[in-house]
Each structure stands twice: as C-alpha cells, then as structure tokens.
Amino acid sequence: MPRLKFYLLGLSACAVLLVALRLWPHAPLREAAPLSRVVLAEGGELLRLTLAGDGQYRLWLPLEQVAPAMIDSILLKEDREFYQHPGVSPSALVRAAMATYSGGVRQGGSTLSMQLARRLYGLNSRQIPGKLQQIALALWLEARHSKHDILEAYLNLAPMGGNIEGVEAASRIYFGKSARQLSLSEALALAVIPQQPSRRGRFGPALQQARLQLMASWQSEHPNDPRNDGLLQLPLEARTRQQLAFRAPHLSEYLLANRKELALHSTLNLPLQSLLEQLLSQFVAERSSQGVHNAVALLVDSRDQSVKALVGSADYFSPSIRGQVNGVQGRRSPGSTLKPFLYGLALDQGVIHPMSIIKDAATAFGNFQPENFDGKFAGPLTAQEALVRSRNVPAVWLASQISQPSLHGFLQRAGIQRLRVEEFYGLGLALGGGELTPAELARLYLLLAGDGRLRNVRYTSDEPATVGAPLLSPQAAFMVRDMLRHNPRPDGLPPDRRGRNWPVAWKTGTSWGYHDAWSAGLVGPYVLVVWVGNFEGQPNPAFIGLKTAAPLFFRIADALPLALPKVQASVDQPPSGLSRVEVCAASGDLPNRWCPQTRKTWYIPGVSPIRVSTLHRPVMIDRKTGKAACPPYDPASTEQQIFEFWPSDLQRLFAAAGLPRRTPPDSLSDCQTALASNQQDAPRITSPLTQVTYSLRLSQPEESIALTANAASDARVLYWFAGQTLLGQSTPQSALNWRPGSSGKYQLKVSDDQGRSNSRALQVEFLP
C-alpha cells in the first residue's frame, strides 16, 4: 500500500506540474516568427504579399480555417500517430535508427512536434546530441502547448520551398488561393514538399512522384473517399514566385502604409479594377499625341461607401510619368467640380431653386471680375443651365450670397485637408481656387449621392460605413443630382445609349492654367472621379475637363453596366419635404397670366424663393404711332401687347448675342402711373376672418381652413402663401383648403397672376 500511495503521489505531482506548465503564461507559437502582410480583394483574390522581416513569405492561418484535406494529408505524410504520442514516438525513432545505421535508406523518425522544435530553435538534428536536444524540446513543447497549437504552428511554419513557409503562403503562391480552398490533389502536393529539401517548390517529376506515392497511401487509408475517383493522378500545375500577384499596386501600398493589420481585406472588386486599368491605358495611348500621358480614376459604391477600383496612375511601372506615385492622394485644383456643392448650399439657404434666373453678365465683385471659360456672357440663365454649362459669373454671385456656411466652411466641415484661411481664396474658391485629392472629391460626391450627410470612403471590409453630420439637406442633394443629370454627354449621344437604367449625373472641371482636367459624378449606384494631367504639374491646353476628362469618364460609365449586368440602379425618388410647382420659363417665378411658356421646378417649401412673375406685362399700344397709349383707351385705335421688362444690361447682352428682345415703348414712362398695377384691384381675403382664432381638432384630420379671396375681373389665378411657403393655388371662384402643421401665428398672403397681393395675420390652435 505505501508503494501504491507513493506512485499515486508521484503521478499527481506530475499532473500538477504539467497543468502548471500549460497554464504558466507563455508567448503563443504564432509569435515565434515574423509574418508577411497580405492584401486581398473583396473576393479573396491576392493583391499583394509582402516578405516577412526575415525575408520569408510566411502567413498565419488558424487551424480551423485550413482545408481538412490539408490537415489529413500532412498528418498522413509526417505523423500518423500525432494525437497518440507525447511529442516523441519511440517506435519511429528506433525504426529510423535501425534503417539509418544499418546501411539502409536513411529515414527520419521525427514527429511533428520534433520537426517544429527543430524549426523554432534552429537545431542540427543530424547528430546524436542535436537529436537528443530535439527530443527534449519536443517534450517541452508538448508540455507547454496543446496539440491544436502545435499542429497549427507546424502548418504555418513548415518549409515549402525557397523562402516560402507554411501552407497558407505556399497555397497563395503556388495555386493562387487560400489554404481554406485547397483540393485533395493540391493538399497532397503541399504535404510532400517539406521532405523534399532539394526540390521544394519545384513541381517537377520527382515531386510529382512523391505526391503519387502519398496519394496511394491516402487511397489505402481512405478507400471509400469519393474523391479517389477524381483526376488525382494528373500532373499538377503550379505557379512560381516570379508569378506572384502584384495587383492594384496603388491601393495595396496605400493600405500597407496606413493600416497595421497583417491581413488587409480590401473592398476592391478585381474585375472592375482590371477594367478601369485597361480603359485608362487605352485612353492614354490614344491621346498621347496630344500630350496626355497620365490619368487617375477612383470608383466608389455609394450603397456601402466601398472603393471598388482605384487606379493611381496610367502605368505603375513607367518612370517617365512617375507611375508609382498614387495620384488618388495627390492634391490638385478641382476647377468647377466644386460648383454642385455651391449650388446645393444656395438651394438650402433659399437663394435659388433649380429654375431661378441668374444673370451671367460682366460683374465686378470688389476688385474681382470673373470671366467665363469661353470669354463670353450668356445673359439670364436658369440655375440649372448655369450649373450644367459651368458659368463662372453666376457661381461667383452665388458664392457672394451664401453664408453659414460659405463654400469654405462647407469644405472645412467635410474634412478637406490643408485648406488655407477663407480670406486667402475669397470668392475664387467657387472656381476651384483650393486644392483637394481625388479621394476627397469622391467623398464629397458620395455625400451628394445620398441624403447630404458626410460619409467615409471605405477601403477595407472591416471599416464601418459611418454616417456623419448633414452638410446638405436631402432635398438639396436630390435637386443637385437632378440638375446634373441634365448635363449632356460630351459626345452628343443620348443618355440611355446603352439601354440601361443607369442615370449619370456629372460635372467637369478645369484648373487655372490647364494643369488639371477633371470629371466627377454619379453613375448609377457608383461615384466616379477621373483626373487627367501629369504629376509634375506642367500645363497642357489639352487638359480641359469637357474635352479630355469627360470622354474618359463616359468610357468608364458606359462600360460599367455591361461589366455589372446583375446590378440594377434604383430610381432616384425625391425625398419628403420637396414639392414641384409650375413656374414661368423666362423668369423662374410663378407665372402671371401673360407668361407664354411654363416649366416645372422642384422647390423646398418655406425655403426656396417663390413669388409671382412680373417679367411679362401688358402695354396698350397706339396702332398709328406704335407708342404706348395713355388712358382712356380707344378700342378702335389701341391694342394690348405683351412685353418682357428686362433690365437694360441684359437687353444689351441679348443684343450682343444676336438674340435681341422686343423692348417696351420709350413713351411708356409718360403713362407709368396709369399703367402701374392698381393696388385697389388687389385680391381681398374673405376667409379666414380677421381677429378670429381658428381651432382645429387633432382627432379630426380632415378639418381645414378654407382660403378664399375676391379678385379683380382680370385675375385668373390666386397664389396662397404662409410666410415664404407656397400653400397652393386657386381661382377667384374656388377655395383652397389648408390645414396648418401646428398651432401658432401665421402671416397669410395672396397674390394674383398680375402681381397684386394682400396679406392677413392668422392665429391657429389645435385641440385634442
């Protein structure tokens, strides 16, 4: 009994010691060697594999993610009793010693644990002292680490030919796939490489023969495996290190420089990346005679904010264009590509609506006298036309009208880096006076593609798609998109030339001095930014946005629907809080009865400027003299004619453009008092009543207030406003039913289609 107790105590002590060794803090085997870094595309394709710090290609893949065929093959080849022995197999050592020292074929008796010990501690196990040391260290590893961790470490550190270690690095290099995806045939091939030191990585006859021998063992061990009936005996083709993937170099280098993770899973779509690289290369080759040698393109999916393609130069390997420079991160003058955001701010601040008329005429803003690109002035334009035609004078005028934020403040809030103080740029910032990168410009257009909120550009799958502060309202963002969709293609083809519902809302830009040509916009669900120029900043008259960048932009835009046949662009629905109204085409205001042509426009109720047009007015003309007639009018000798009352400076612009407008008679001033609108004929509000508080019940949503007014006999339409908000229109014979949004005081205003108006204060309260 005492002896048994002694043995039990000894076994207990050993067990406690083993548990203590296992639990005692120690570095994981993953930290035993430096690792390579890998950049992957969204589909898992290899973009870049770097060397580890010791010059090896080495990646770490958790055991659970290694293909089961790979694990089974390595155990079959190297250590069939791995899970039964404590780190050393005495029978294997005896068998190897007898074969080696009896003059037979040299054999190895090392277990996986022993091989890992030799690898970790740099042992020379060919001599007996080294072998004994290897045995001791293998037992030490087994005591300190689990079988799971030892097998995982071996699979990731085993020599796989040259400077390649581990099954993940080997699988990526030889087969272009992760070790997760290895087939049985490929797994058997990798399993024999560690024991072929002179032929590691060379898939020649000897290695193929070793694979076939291991395959025979596999079929003997797994006779019912359905994979045995496959084409396992066919020679296996493998790539070399010289064929190692080197794709999307600018994106790969950007991620490697700015992220610390070993495995970088980018959002890049490899087919789209190849498509953009090919299109840029072809475009530059075609335009080389014009001095076009370099271009940049960035494609972002607005649905999840992910970068799908990034081409930082036309040729990464060309030293003549400094091709290794990443142009997507280079700062350049954006030209007119910022104008959409200027117009968005003006829409939000109530300066314009899309059909507002803006004057494009020679104008001085202090000592700043902007000119248009063509050196001409177009006269009155709608805001939409001014944006689409990229007129500079209207843009500078808008910049002078907006505040809180100004365009500079907007760019600051958007996170644009390296902006100087606002006074440095002045109003010239509206014309591209600052500098930003294509990546920053894509971020701005990503904002425009959504609801006006700032969004980050995602380069990796683990980056969250964050939504930041609102910089434009959803209504303004939609209106700007709608305006830009009216920008005609540079080749004159219809927008739907490909027959797909992929609307394009786009804008060009040309920097001062012809240094940079830009085109940026929305193509279906994607944001696309294109830049053409050279990294040295040398000017070239060919660097014009419309003539150089736009053709490349549309070459890509036309190819995207064909490359992505399963992607359907959704219809851009207007957000709530946006209304549509008919305005006079010539003035952009609500049409009076003499407006000859109308068009519809979007507007934000309570924000967008809405008033009744006074551009078209009637004048009684004496048939004999052709001059204005004064009352009383003789029907036999006078007639009513409609004139457009344009300011004199715009009249001169029309004349200079060869489009003279019919001017009102010079003698009109003699009858001005009689011809002026008579406020005694202004509409008279009959409902709501004065000095009455109108009570509406929340429980009765159909209750409303009837808006009615008496009007002069020449009035045909009445427009009703609450403050600056257009409520709707009615006729003098009908009522407009209105239900306010909340209790409070309102200032009601009614205007007829001749510009006459009247107003009345109103108190409203809501009851349960």
Side-chain angles (χ1 to χ4, degrees), residues 648-662:
S648 59
D649 58 341
L650 293 181
Q651 288 279 13
R652 290 192 294 270
L653 280 176
F654 282 132
L659 300 169
R661 291 298 193 268
R662 188 182 178 203

Side-chain angles (χ1 to χ4, degrees), residues 91-350:
S91 60
L93 288 174
V94 170
R95 188 168 55 250
M98 292 178 62
T100 300
Y101 294 106
S102 64
V105 179
R106 185 181 181 89
Q107 292 184 10
S110 298
T111 63
L112 286 185
S113 302
M114 293 173 64
Q115 294 181 50
L116 180 62
R118 181 176 61 222
R119 167 66 184 85
L120 292 177
Y121 300 107
L123 304 177
N124 180 6
S125 59
R126 293 181 177 274
Q127 303 298 324
I128 292 179
K131 179 63 71 173
L132 294 175
Q133 189 178 14
Q134 182 185 21
I135 293 172
L137 288 172
L139 295 172
W140 173 254
L141 283 175
E142 291 272 355
R144 296 281 279 167
H145 300 277
S146 66
K147 287 285 188 180
H148 171 282
D149 292 348
I150 291 173
L151 179 57
E152 180 180 276
Y154 179 83
L155 287 169
N156 285 288
L157 297 175
M160 286 291 170
N163 61 341
I164 303 171
E165 290 191 358
V167 296
E168 175 68 1
S171 181
R172 289 283 184 186
I173 293 173
Y174 295 142
F175 303 124
K177 63 173 68 172
S178 171
R180 302 176 181 89
Q181 305 164 314
L182 286 170
S183 67
L184 175 58
S185 180
E186 293 163 340
L188 292 170
L190 293 184
V192 302
I193 295 180
Q195 297 304 325
Q196 299 285 325
S198 62
R199 301 180 180 87
R200 290 172 186 163
R202 295 170 56 193
F203 282 75
L207 200 58
Q208 297 283 10
Q209 182 62 34
R211 180 178 69 89
L212 293 176
Q213 292 174 357
L214 182 59
M215 186 186 305
S217 298
W218 173 276
Q219 292 171 337
S220 175
E221 291 284 332
H222 305 86
N224 298 321
D225 192 325
R227 291 173 292 185
N228 293 340
D229 298 330
L231 305 177
L232 295 181
Q233 296 185 1
L234 292 179
L236 194 64
E237 296 295 331
R239 304 173 185 175
T240 66
R241 280 169 293 176
Q242 288 71 31
Q243 296 172 295
L244 186 61
F246 192 86
R247 298 164 171 161
H250 295 101
L251 174 69
S252 299
E253 290 174 358
Y254 175 79
L255 291 178
L256 291 170
N258 290 277
R259 299 289 294 269
K260 296 181 179 180
E261 297 91 334
L262 292 174
L264 295 163
H265 297 268
S266 77
T267 61
L268 184 133
N269 181 290
L270 193 55
L272 289 180
Q273 176 71 19
S274 300
L275 174 65
L276 262 67
E277 289 176 352
Q278 179 183 3
L279 292 175
L280 257 72
S281 178
Q282 292 174 347
F283 180 83
V284 168
E286 293 171 7
R287 300 290 184 107
S288 61
S289 61
Q290 302 175 22
V292 175
H293 303 296
N294 208 350
V296 167
L298 178 62
L299 185 69
V300 181
D301 192 330
S302 66
R303 296 167 296 183
D304 62 2
Q305 304 157 220
S306 59
V307 172
K308 293 305 177 188
L310 186 155
V311 185
S313 70
D315 185 355
Y316 180 86
F317 298 101
S318 173
S320 63
I321 63 169
R322 300 173 65 188
Q324 295 186 18
V325 173
N326 185 358
V328 170
Q329 301 299 330
R331 296 196 170 275
R332 302 287 173 180
S333 168
S336 295
T337 56
L338 293 183
K339 287 179 181 175
F341 308 100
L342 172 65
Y343 279 74
L345 293 171
L347 290 167
D348 264 339
Q349 296 180 25

Side-chain angles (χ1 to χ4, degrees), residues 554-747:
F554 274 93
R555 187 172 295 193
I556 298 172
D558 291 341
L560 287 177
L562 301 178
L564 300 165
K566 295 182 180 180
V567 177
Q568 295 292 332
S570 59
V571 178
D572 194 1
Q573 297 289 348
S576 60
L578 196 62
S579 298
R580 200 152 170 81
V581 69
E582 203 167 71
V583 296
C584 184
S587 66
D589 297 324
L590 294 170
N592 62 16
R593 62 176 302 185
W594 301 289
C595 176
Q597 185 178 3
T598 62
R599 64 176 73 175
K600 289 187 176 295
T601 187
W602 296 105
Y603 80 104
I604 308 173
V607 176
S608 300
I610 294 291
R611 62 180 183 178
V612 179
S613 175
T614 58
L615 177 64
H616 300 90
R617 305 178 207 167
V619 176
M620 295 302 296
I621 300 296
D622 188 311
R623 290 192 180 94
K624 294 180 179 180
T625 64
K627 296 181 179 181
C630 296
Y633 303 118
D634 181 4
S637 60
T638 60
E639 63 180 6
Q640 179 179 280
Q641 297 182 15
I642 308 302
F643 290 85
E644 295 180 357
F645 284 75
W646 292 104
S648 59
D649 58 341
L650 293 181
Q651 288 279 13
R652 290 192 294 270
L653 280 176
F654 282 132
L659 300 169
R661 291 298 193 268
R662 188 182 178 203
T663 58
D666 293 337
S667 57
L668 183 60
S669 58
D670 298 334
C671 307
Q672 193 67 42
T673 302
L675 293 171
S677 295
N678 190 346
Q679 275 304 113
Q680 292 181 352
D681 293 331
R684 294 182 299 279
I685 298 175
T686 57
S687 175
L689 302 174
T690 59
Q691 299 180 347
V692 174
T693 298
Y694 281 77
S695 298
L696 301 175
R697 289 171 292 180
L698 293 171
S699 60
Q700 301 294 326
E702 71 279 0
E703 287 186 345
S704 60
I705 300 173
L707 307 181
T708 60
N710 293 327
S713 60
D714 58 352
R716 299 289 183 269
V717 180
L718 299 179
Y719 299 98
W720 293 91
F721 299 84
Q724 297 297 318
T725 303
L726 176 65
L727 303 179
Q729 65 186 54
S730 66
T731 66
Q733 294 79 30
S734 63
L736 175 67
N737 293 319
W738 170 57
R739 183 179 174 88
S742 61
S743 300
K745 293 183 179 180
Y746 292 88
Q747 186 68 28

